[in-house]
Amino acid sequence: MGAGRESGSLPRFAALPVGVVVALQAVVLTLLSSRYGFHRDELYFLAAGKRPAWGYVDQPPITPWLARASTALFGETPMGLRAVATLLAMATVVVVVLITREGGGGRGAQLFTAVATALSTYVLVVSHMLATNTADMLLWSLIAFFGLRLLRTGDGRWWLAVGAAAGLGMMNKWLVLLLLSGLGIGVAVAGPRRVLRTWWLAAGVGVAAVLTAPVVLWQASHGWPMLTVASGISEDDGGQNRVLFVPMQLVYLSPVLVPVWVAGLLRPWRDAGVRWARALAIAYPVVCVELLALGGKPYYSVPLLLPLVALGAVPALRWLARTGTVARALTGVAAAVCVVVSVLIGLPVLPAPALGPVLAVNKESGEQVGWPEFADTVAAAWAQVPDKDTAVILAGNYGEAGALEYYGPERGLPQPYSPHMSFADWGPPPDRLVGPVLLIGRLERGSPASRLITGCRTVVMNHNAEGLDNDEDGVTISLCGTLTRPWSAAWPQLRHYY
């Protein structure tokens, strides 16, 4: 393929100001990383990382692998686990800035993009804790950057980079297929279609296929459990997700950034110098339509807003330069207010007991509070269990099981079991453990579990010391009799995905 405008004609990378932003980002995230405690998903990642595999019931392997690597290097603490989340967030800022540079943005636009990215609400939320979205945010940004470089230069060799990033994306979360389909439709509709007429495309697909194959084979050999989980999300929450989808697009990054990413959507149609980026402008609405059809969660499309912010930085700064002093002052006040709100929502700066209003917007903060107290409550209930040599602790969900696996040993608790998500694959309890059962959570009347686990009486109800209304506050812990069937026979009926 012939090359277009070479990278040498691009503005210089603003290494110093962007480096300062990234350094400050690292310092703030590190200093706050031990606040509150582990999120329930992080406890699950710790458990999964100790059981390395090519896949898990509800996710591919990259995030658990990252959890294992980060805690091995930095310690099995919230700070140690979240070190990798901080590194991923820093890399995301750099990549998004590179997209701004790709679109001709100079020093000022690059600095604007770095600050806007680092301080946006969504980025703060997924940067403070390790989540599948933390890696997804970086991988989507990389695919967008490599794809835009391919479209701008016409150099087919960039298909290899796109394929590698896409393969890694598939190893983290299969939502990347939506991004790839959106970009593919964008290129087919708006071009430049010459990038499709090269054998480098096949090479890039080959790279992605090699990276993806072990994950797909694992899912196929286990009955495609990720599709079962995804269908359950759509069935249970699809209606609510569709209703909230458009409003949440306006607030997830920050309301003050909406005009910026809208400018990024429009710029390829107005600025002939970046018309090669029209595929990205088409990809975002395509992905949104796909998510609306599937009933996906509104935040699934948010990583695609970051490249649009990058493209919108130049026209946004031009508008600020043209506008009057009063308008600039009002814009500055609005930006300051939005930054404060983003920090309060996304970072653990408030005392835990004051989190109540934040939970209405970001419930993930509440899921980082109360796990040691939860383990204390279970330990107090365990002290009342007779015949401990044959007893079993059965947790209702992966967060509870992960918390007990992490905090339980120092409290004298045995290995917990749970039929939820991949913990079900790591069970069942040995058949020699015939009961009693210390059950966490209520049995739904008429459920398979209520027929298999009998004679339950509530021993204690869990409450966190901060009084937060999170998912584990008010959970009952019951002492039950023996199972009506051996664990090996009962386990398939107890297994659940939601």
Side-chain angles (χ1 to χ4, degrees):
M1 298 293 296
R5 182 160 54 101
E6 297 300 326
S7 60
S9 63
L10 294 177
R12 293 183 61 182
F13 178 65
L16 180 58
V18 172
V20 170
V21 172
V22 170
L24 289 174
Q25 179 190 29
V27 169
V28 171
L29 290 175
T30 301
L31 290 176
L32 295 175
S33 61
S34 60
R35 291 271 289 173
Y36 301 163
F38 289 115
H39 187 277
R40 68 168 59 248
D41 289 356
E42 292 178 314
L43 292 164
Y44 183 36
F45 298 146
L46 287 176
K50 294 173 183 175
R51 301 166 174 90
W54 280 108
Y56 302 91
V57 164
D58 50 341
Q59 63 192 307
I62 275 192
T63 302
W65 290 358
L66 289 173
R68 177 69 178 270
S70 191
T71 52
L73 290 172
F74 303 108
E76 201 168 296
T77 64
M79 181 178 288
L81 175 67
R82 291 166 179 168
V84 70
T86 298
L87 293 173
L88 292 171
M90 295 164 64
T92 298
V93 170
V94 173
V95 172
V96 176
V97 169
L98 288 173
I99 294 174
T100 295
R101 176 176 176 265
E102 200 70 20
R107 183 184 181 92
Q110 292 178 40
L111 177 59
F112 174 88
T113 299
V115 173
T117 302
L119 290 178
S120 63
T121 307
Y122 178 83
V123 173
L124 289 175
V125 170
V126 302
S127 300
H128 164 62
M129 53 178 258
L130 179 62
T132 54
N133 302 330
T134 316
D136 236 26
M137 178 176 65
L138 172 59
L139 290 167
W140 280 45
S141 299
L142 278 172
I143 292 171
F145 170 60
F146 294 146
L148 289 173
R149 174 60 70 94
L150 166 68
L151 297 176
R152 182 182 66 79
T153 65
D155 187 344
R157 289 173 295 183
W158 283 102
W159 276 118
L160 297 177
V162 172
L168 290 173
M170 285 290 288
M171 291 179 67
N172 183 66
K173 210 168 184 178
W174 286 7
L175 287 173
V176 74
L177 290 173
L178 302 183
L179 171 63
L180 295 173
S181 67
L183 289 172
I185 291 171
V187 173
V189 170
R193 287 183 286 274
R194 68 182 186 278
V195 301
L196 302 176
R197 297 188 293 269
T198 171
W199 70 270
W200 287 109
L201 170 57
V205 171
V207 170
V210 168
L211 291 171
T212 304
V215 177
V216 173
L217 291 173
W218 189 95
Q219 286 290 323
S221 66
H222 289 76
W224 303 102
M226 272 178 39
L227 299 183
T228 301
V229 174
S231 65
I233 292 173
S234 179
E235 182 178 343
D236 292 348
D237 302 326
Q240 180 182 3
N241 290 339
R242 293 182 180 97
V243 170
L244 294 176
F245 190 89
V246 172
M248 296 311 291
Q249 301 304 298
L250 305 179
V251 300
Y252 266 132
L253 280 188
S254 176
V256 77
L257 290 178
V258 172
V260 181
W261 61 257
V262 169
L265 270 175
L266 298 176
R267 187 183 172 199
W269 310 100
R270 296 178 171 179
D271 184 349
V274 292
R275 63 180 304 171
W276 44 265
R278 288 178 177 180
L280 180 66
I282 292 173
Y284 174 68
V286 168
V287 169
C288 290
V289 169
E290 291 172 339
L291 287 171
L292 284 167
L294 295 170
K297 296 181 180 179
Y299 66 79
Y300 287 169
S301 60
V302 173
L304 194 46
L305 291 177
L306 295 177
L308 294 176
V309 167
L311 283 182
V314 169
L317 290 180
R318 286 174 182 164
W319 177 84
L320 283 174
R322 291 194 307 267
T323 194
T325 304
V326 174
R328 283 199 297 270
L330 291 175
T331 301
V333 170
V337 170
C338 286
V339 166
V340 171
V341 172
S342 293
V343 169
L344 292 176
I345 291 173
L347 294 179
V349 294
L350 293 174
L355 276 175
V358 172
L359 300 186
V361 182
N362 177 26
K363 70 183 292 288
E364 309 308 332
S365 295
E367 298 309 307
Q368 301 170 46
V369 174
W371 290 112
E373 293 89 344
F374 168 78
D376 290 337
T377 302
V378 175
W382 178 253
Q384 303 180 43
V385 174
D387 304 320
K388 290 183 175 60
D389 291 341
T390 59
V392 169
I393 297 178
L394 190 67
N397 61 59
Y398 65 67
E400 297 166 350
L404 295 177
E405 186 166 287
Y406 181 83
Y407 294 108
E410 65 185 26
R411 291 165 171 80
L413 296 176
Q415 172 66 37
Y417 296 89
S418 176
H420 187 222
M421 295 300 187
S422 282
F423 265 97
D425 291 333
W426 308 328
D431 284 340
R432 63 179 176 78
L433 301 180
V434 295
V437 177
L438 190 65
L439 177 69
I440 302 170
R442 295 185 184 276
L443 291 176
E444 294 185 13
R445 183 171 297 181
S447 67
S450 67
R451 296 190 294 271
L452 294 166
I453 304 173
T454 60
C456 298
R457 62 177 179 85
T458 299
V459 176
V460 68
M461 184 175 291
N462 179 64
H463 291 288
N464 58 73
E466 288 77 12
L468 286 182
D469 183 20
N470 60 16
D471 285 353
E472 298 307 317
D473 189 59
V475 166
T476 58
I477 300 172
S478 305
L479 183 58
C480 308
T482 58
L483 266 71
T484 58
R485 302 176 65 188
W487 285 109
S488 57
W491 204 243
Q493 298 179 61
L494 293 173
R495 178 167 202 156
H496 60 101
Y497 295 97
Y498 318 115

